[in-house]
C-alpha cells in the first residue's frame, strides 16, 4: 500500500505538478513533507485515512496552476468511508450522493435552472480550471471524524496554495464555503479577485446562507465581465 509521503514524491516528479512544485512548501523537508508524514503516522497508529494516498493531491493534479480560474474551498475531505477522492465535494461511487453534494446540486439547479448531474464526479469542473481544494487534504474516516486532520499541518500547505493563486493568477473567483474556508479570506487580494463567501453546503448549515447564494451564476458573470469564458457547471 502506498504512503502519503511516497504519493507526494511521485506527484512532485510528475508533469502534473508544474507550477505547484515551485512553491516553497513542496520543497523537501518543508510543510507538505511533514503533513504527509503525519498522515502516514496516523494511519500507522491504526486509523483509516482518506482519501487514498494516490488521490490525496488530485485537486492539484487535475487543475494545473496556470489553469486556475475558480477556487472552491471547503474544510476537509468527506470522512464517510469510500466518499473522499481528493477533489473537494466530489464523489465517485454508487448512490446516494453525499448530502453536501446533494445541496450543491440543488443550489446549482436553483441558480442555473439546470437538472442535477447523474454523477457526483466533479472532475469536469476541475478540468475547466476549478481548483477543488480543502483546507486539509486528509481526514480520518468514520463518524464524527470531520476536522480530524485540520491541525496536521496541511493548513500551511493550502495557505501557500491560496496565496500563490492570489498572487500569480489573474481574475480568479474564490468560493469560500464554511467558516474554515472563510478564515482564509485574508490571503486573497480582493482588488484583483472576486470572493463569494457563504455557509457550508452541509445539511447542518446550508439553510443558513448557502441556499440562495447563487455562486455559479455570480462566478460566471464576474469572469465574463473580464473577458474570461464561463465555467460549464
Amino acid at each position: 500500500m502506498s504512503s502519503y509521503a511516497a504519493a507526494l514524491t511521485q506527484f512532485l516528479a510528475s508533469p502534473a505538478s508544474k507550477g505547484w512544485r515551485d512553491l516553497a512548501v513542496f520543497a523537501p523537508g518543508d510543510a507538505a513533507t511533514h503533513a504527509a508524514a503525519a498522515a502516514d503516522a496516523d494511519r500507522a497508529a491504526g486509523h483509516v485515512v482518506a482519501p487514498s494516498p494516490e488521490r490525496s493531491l488530485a485537486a492539484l493534479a487535475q487543475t494545473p496552476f496556470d489553469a486556475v480560474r475558480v477556487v472552491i474551498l471547503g474544510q476537509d475531505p468527506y470522512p464517510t468511508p469510500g466518499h473522499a477522492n481528493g477533489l473537494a465535494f466530489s464523489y465517485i461511487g454508487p448512490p446516494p450522493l453525499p448530502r453536501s453534494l446533494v445541496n450543491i446540486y440543488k443550489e446549482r439547479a436553483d441558480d442555473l435552472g439546470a437538472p442535477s448531474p447523474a454523477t457526483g464526479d466533479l472532475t469536469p469542473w476541475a478540468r475547466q480550471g476549478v481548483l477543488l481544494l480543502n483546507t486539509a487534504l486528509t481526514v480520518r474516516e468514520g463518524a464524527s471524524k470531520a476536522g480530524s486532520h485540520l491541525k496536521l499541518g496541511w493548513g500551511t500547505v493550502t495557505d501557500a496554495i491560496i496565496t500563490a493563486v492570489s498572487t500569480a493568477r489573474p481574475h480568479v473567483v474564490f468560493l469560500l464555503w464554511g467558516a474554515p474556508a472563510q478564515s482564509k479570506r485574508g490571503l486573497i487580494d480582493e482588488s484583483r479577485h472576486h470572493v463569494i463567501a457563504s455557509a457550508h453546503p452541509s445539511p447542518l448549515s446550508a439553510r443558513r446562507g448557502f441556499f440562495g447564494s447563487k455562486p455559479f451564476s455570480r462566478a460566471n458573470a464576474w469572469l465574463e465581465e473580464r473577458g474570461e469564458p464561463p465555467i460549464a457547471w
Side-chain angles (χ1 to χ4, degrees):
M1 183 181 294
S2 176
S3 69
Y4 291 94
L8 174 63
T9 299
Q10 184 176 5
F11 168 72
L12 294 175
S14 72
S17 69
K18 182 181 179 181
W20 300 119
R21 63 175 173 256
D22 297 331
L23 304 187
V25 290
F26 289 115
D30 214 293
T33 300
H34 293 301
D40 283 330
D42 205 38
R43 190 166 64 169
H47 300 288
V48 179
V49 178
S52 60
E54 61 271 17
R55 293 292 303 180
S56 58
L57 295 158
L60 304 183
Q62 290 290 341
T63 306
F65 181 80
D66 61 3
V68 177
R69 300 194 293 133
V70 175
V71 177
I72 293 181
L73 189 62
Q75 175 175 291
D76 55 356
Y78 293 126
T80 304
H83 280 198
N85 63 59
L87 302 180
F89 300 105
S90 181
Y91 170 72
I92 303 172
L97 299 180
R99 291 180 293 172
S100 290
L101 185 55
V102 170
N103 287 338
I104 291 169
Y105 281 171
K106 181 181 186 301
E107 178 61 21
R108 175 184 174 276
D110 291 344
D111 186 8
L112 303 178
S116 294
T119 174
D121 184 4
L122 301 183
T123 301
W125 293 6
R127 289 176 176 167
Q128 295 177 74
V130 180
L131 180 62
L132 295 162
L133 188 68
N134 282 307
T135 61
L137 301 187
T138 57
V139 69
R140 287 182 187 174
E141 280 193 348
S144 303
K145 298 300 183 182
S148 53
H149 281 186
L150 289 179
K151 297 181 179 180
L152 212 61
W154 289 121
T156 302
V157 178
T158 54
D159 282 2
I161 290 168
I162 295 163
T163 300
V165 170
S166 175
T167 301
R169 293 293 301 148
H171 311 316
V172 175
V173 180
F174 289 82
L175 304 182
L176 307 183
W177 291 348
Q182 291 179 41
S183 72
K184 308 301 183 182
R185 189 165 188 163
L187 303 174
I188 302 164
D189 181 356
E190 295 190 51
S191 70
R192 302 175 60 241
H193 307 295
H194 187 45
V195 172
I196 302 174
S198 74
H200 193 277
S202 161
L204 299 175
S205 57
R207 298 189 182 280
R208 297 201 296 267
F210 178 76
F211 289 144
S213 63
K214 299 186 180 300
F216 308 106
S217 63
R218 290 167 65 191
N220 278 352
W222 192 86
L223 290 171
E224 290 181 286
E225 286 171 3
R226 282 147 188 82
E228 301 285 346
I231 303 296
W233 300 106

